């Protein structure tokens, strides 16, 4: 956004800050009146200019004023005409509304030796190793432009003139370092009243970093006493003149900027909660993020279905690896990161962060075995343990006390440990709390925090929508993990309770996790269960659902072991009256029919005569389900077997019923 010198001057003038008398015009016809009002000598500068571009100083004639106006017109439609103030050019730097440095700026110049021409002296000056192109060095090369030639002409000089010994010849009308100027540090000489004026200006203009250009005989006297004025206020001041002045003490002006952005004593990192495990990672991640967001913090989180900041999806897909973590951690709007951290990303490229504040392991179950040299649960345990190994020593490892592999991880943790459990009589919980430890437990129908012998009840599970009235055990486990993690971070029980009550499971809030769609005569449940443990969780829930017929839609995942594919089919046979196999995708190197045969073998091991329908076209399969569903039946689509099942079912409901 371009600067506006006119508005800046008005704000300063209204606040009794001494500024140069001046007007702003845009038409050459207004020039005579401006000259009459302000009076010679004059300074011309573009209203929206910077770095001294288009400026002309010490204009004393109408002819020179006309030329200066036309020159400034090349840089801005409107031109500022100010009274030329004699004195020296000073820059005062204010950071976080405190003056940190001041410099006397000297325009680019040469000193005659009675032998060399102006051009030769410029060339010699540019040989100074401190000078470079643009901002690459502490000083900038001196270039010859219109301003240079005008200044020389006023002395009846050209580039071929030979200045006498000791004469100073100025080559620029402004003292900007970007035009070849130099600087002398005067920080310690600034009068306290001028310090006050500078710091007041920063607040009047509303800039926590600003460079104030002052024209005055000196800064050792208050500006009102020596006739000094404020010329400009720069929102993006250069630091070179203070970091490496041509003369005087260098000032580390970068340090106050860092202190302002990251105050001493305040952690420069945003908090990170990393969630891993076999099942429940995404839901736990989303619930933690919801609690954080509900408490007024802008949260960024990664899941197996996308990257989110607050509730806005910024990227779609499985985003549980280090690249996705980096995406969130480098986002300047994110104040808190909740990162789902999956096995695949850890094995490919690590975590994407070196330390986290809280690490959560939901559980470790049989899944992905036989892939990437991970053949046993002990192997998988070592992969998931990487997250706990990254927890700060002062941080917390949140682990499932009902899972022996999580307990194994806890024994090796180099941080504080807290457990969650579905059973308050779990020996691990009892021993842990006996020693004064913290845990989250499911007791007497409540989500409860246990500290030593004390119990703090958070909420009854029947009041937590995510648990489906307390009927879904694996959802209660997810709630326990999220509640414990956020409690350990420091959120109040009442705030966690309200967040749990307002987290509504749905296709929008928890896509692919227990999404239920109510049709006129039947219901459809969509869940991303894709391994034996996930199938058993759905099985336990369906046992609480009365239906005239339970219909299941399943598929296998090609990169799983034969036994794993068959085991999911065995569990499916135990929970469904009829099964539809829809092997639309997830072949991952296998032949489609090979996966189907493994599923059929698993089903027939449990129910040899069970009705099995094969339909590998997702659209046709969904149409068949809706067309043939009996009144009162309950259809369960597992492992996203119908590609984008949630979207398709939602679209169908909207089209057919307008819901």
């Amino acid at each position: 956004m371009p600067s506006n010198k006119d508005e800046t001057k008005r704000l300063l003038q209204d606040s009794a800050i001494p500024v140069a008398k001046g007007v702003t015009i845009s038409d050459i016809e207004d020039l005579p009146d401006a000259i009459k009002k302000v009076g010679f000598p004059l300074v011309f500068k573009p209203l929206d200019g910077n770095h001294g571009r288009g400026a002309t100083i010490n204009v004393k004639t109408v002819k020179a004023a006309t030329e200066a106006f036309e020159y400034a017109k090349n840089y801005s439609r409107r031109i500022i005409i100010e009274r030329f103030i004699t004195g020296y050019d000073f820059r005062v730097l204010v950071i976080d509304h405190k003056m940190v440095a001041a410099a006397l700026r000297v325009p680019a110049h040469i000193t005659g030796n009675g032998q060399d021409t102006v051009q030769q002296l410029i060339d010699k000056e540019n040989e100074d190793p401190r000078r470079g192109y643009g901002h690459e060095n502490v000083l900038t090369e001196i270039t010859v432009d219109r301003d240079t030639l005008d200044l020389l002409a006023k002395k009846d000089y050209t580039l071929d003139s030979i200045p006498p010994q000791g004469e100073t010849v100025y080559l620029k009308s402004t003292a900007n370092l970007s035009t070849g100027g130099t600087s002398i540090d005067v920080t310690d000489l600034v009068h306290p009243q001028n310090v006050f004026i500078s710091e007041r200006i920063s607040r009047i203009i509303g800039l926590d970093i600003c460079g104030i250009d002052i024209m005055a005989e000196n800064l050792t006297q208050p500006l009102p006493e020596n006739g000094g004025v404020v010329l400009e206020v720069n929102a993006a001041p250069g630091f070179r003149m203070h970091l490496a002045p041509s003369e005087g003490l260098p000032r580390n002006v970068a340090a106050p900027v860092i202190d302002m952005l990251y105050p001493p004593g305040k952690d420069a990192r945003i908090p990170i909660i990393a969630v891993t495990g076999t099942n429940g990672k995404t839901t736990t991640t989303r619930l933690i993020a919801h609690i954080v967001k509900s408490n007024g913090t802008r949260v960024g989180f990664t899941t197996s279905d996308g990257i989110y900041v607050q509730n806005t999806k910024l990227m779609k897909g499985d985003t549980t690896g280090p690249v996705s973590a980096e995406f969130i951690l480098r986002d300047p709007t994110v104040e808190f990161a909740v990162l789902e951290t999956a096995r695949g990303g850890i094995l490919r490229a690590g975590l994407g962060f070196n330390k986290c504040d809280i690490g959560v392991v939901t559980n470790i179950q049989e899944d992905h075995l036989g892939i990437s040299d991970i053949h046993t649960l002990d192997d998988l345990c070592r992969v998931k343990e990487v997250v706990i190994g990254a927890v700060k020593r002062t941080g917390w490892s949140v682990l499932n006390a009902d899972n022996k592999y999580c307990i194994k991880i806890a024994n090796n943790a180099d941080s504080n440990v807290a457990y969650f459990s579905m059973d308050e009589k779990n020996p691990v919980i009892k021993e842990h709390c006996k020693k004064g430890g913290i845990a989250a437990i499911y007791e007497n129908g409540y989500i409860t925090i246990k500290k030593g012998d004390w119990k703090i009840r958070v909420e009854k599970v029947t009041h937590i929508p995510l648990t489906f009235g307390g009927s879904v055990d694996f959802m209660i486990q997810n709630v326990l993990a999220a509640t414990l993690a956020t409690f350990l971070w420091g959120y109040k029980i009442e705030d966690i309770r309200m967040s749990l009550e307002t987290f509504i499971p749905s296709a929008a809030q928890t896509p692919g996790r227990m999404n239920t769609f109510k049709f006129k005569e039947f219901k459809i449940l969509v869940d991303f269960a894709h391994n034996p443990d996930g199938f058993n969780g759905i099985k336990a829930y369906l046992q609480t659902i009365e239906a005239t017929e339970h219909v299941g839609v399943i598929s296998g995942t090609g990169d799983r072991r034969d036994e794993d594919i068959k085991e999911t089919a065995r569990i499916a046979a135990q929970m469904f009256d009829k099964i539809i196999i829809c092997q639309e995708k997830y072949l991952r190197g296998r032949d489609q029919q090979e996966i189907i045969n493994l599923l059929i073998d698993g089903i027939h091991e449990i129910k040899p005569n069970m009705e099995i329908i094969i339909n590998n076209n997702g659209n046709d399969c969904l149409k068949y389900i809706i067309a043939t569903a009996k009144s009162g039946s309950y259809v369960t689509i597992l492992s996203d077997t119908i590609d984008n099942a949630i979207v398709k079912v939602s679209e169908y409901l909207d089209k057919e019923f307008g819901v």
Side-chain angles (χ1 to χ4, degrees), residues 182-195:
T182 56
S183 65
I184 301 170
D185 179 72
V186 295
T187 305
D188 296 330
L189 304 178
V190 181
H191 191 280
Q193 187 171 338
N194 292 336
V195 173

Side-chain angles (χ1 to χ4, degrees), residues 535 552-556 569 572 576 579-583 599 603 638 641:
F535 270 52
V553 185
I554 68 171
S555 70
F576 299 127
I579 290 178
I580 302 168
I581 295 176
C582 182
Q583 194 64 49
L599 291 170
I603 294 168
L638 296 177
T641 48

Side-chain angles (χ1 to χ4, degrees), residues 482-495:
T483 299
L484 182 55
T486 51
F487 174 79
L488 292 170
W489 179 250
Y491 290 119
K492 297 178 181 178
I493 292 294
E494 53 267 31
D495 293 331

Side-chain angles (χ1 to χ4, degrees), residues 39-71:
F40 290 118
L42 298 170
V43 174
F44 285 73
K45 52 188 176 183
L47 178 66
D48 300 325
N50 54 33
H51 299 300
R53 297 186 184 95
T56 306
I57 69 167
N58 202 13
V59 176
K60 297 179 179 178
T61 67
V62 173
K63 181 176 181 296
T66 303
E67 293 174 354
F69 178 87
E70 295 298 340
Y71 178 50

